[in-house]
Amino acid sequence: QAQLVESGGRLVQAGGSLRLSCAASGRSFSRDTMGWFRQAPGKEREFVAAIGSTGSTTYYADSVKGRFTISRDNAKNTVYLQMNSLKPEDTAVYYCAAKFYPYPGRGDGTKAPWYDIWGQGTQVTVSS
């Protein structure tokens, strides 16, 4: 059974840093596109970052560009989100997601419905 499990979310002070991890199991995710999304109370789920299978292609939402870095370690079946210079508006539940290879066609990795499987989420709270 393919599964994604996030970890690393906690309360952190504004300006601080945090690294989230997403551990995959049940299959190899080495050829899959991986993404991070977040959802704040009363808001819809929004795109944060995505990374291609080899790590050579990355995409970021404008709101996190220059502060967040997505990376992956295919040997460990793990994807990471390094978050620096955190702001109170970054407070949300963060979810990782995977799009299985092979893909049926061209898709948009910034859109949540494109992904095949999701983790349970991890809470990140940034205090001012």
Side-chain angles (χ1 to χ4, degrees):
Q1 183 83 271
Q3 187 178 28
L4 303 176
V5 179
E6 303 97 333
S7 62
R10 66 176 189 270
L11 174 66
V12 64
Q13 189 177 1
S17 298
L18 199 60
R19 188 178 76 160
L20 305 183
S21 298
C22 176
S25 62
R27 59 171 279 149
S28 174
F29 288 79
S30 63
R31 304 186 74 178
D32 298 342
T33 296
M34 305 295 295
W36 285 97
F37 290 75
R38 66 187 182 185
Q39 188 166 23
K43 306 289 186 179
E44 65 182 9
R45 192 167 299 188
E46 67 173 348
F47 170 76
V48 176
I51 187 167
S53 61
T54 68
S56 62
T57 301
T58 58
Y59 298 91
Y60 296 94
D62 288 341
S63 59
V64 306
K65 196 172 299 180
R67 299 188 298 121
F68 291 11
T69 302
I70 187 171
S71 62
R72 66 192 299 160
D73 186 339
N74 286 342
K76 295 182 177 180
N77 246 14
T78 302
V79 62
Y80 305 96
L81 185 68
Q82 178 67 47
M83 304 185 294
N84 299 326
S85 302
L86 283 162
K87 306 174 180 179
E89 53 261 44
D90 295 319
T91 295
V93 177
Y94 283 71
Y95 300 88
C96 67
K99 177 63 179 181
F100 297 156
Y101 184 90
Y103 317 131
R106 291 178 296 147
D108 188 349
T110 70
K111 300 296 191 294
W114 187 68
Y115 290 86
D116 295 307
I117 188 172
W118 294 80
Q120 81 291 338
T122 185
Q123 176 71 49
V124 173
T125 303
V126 183
S127 62
S128 60

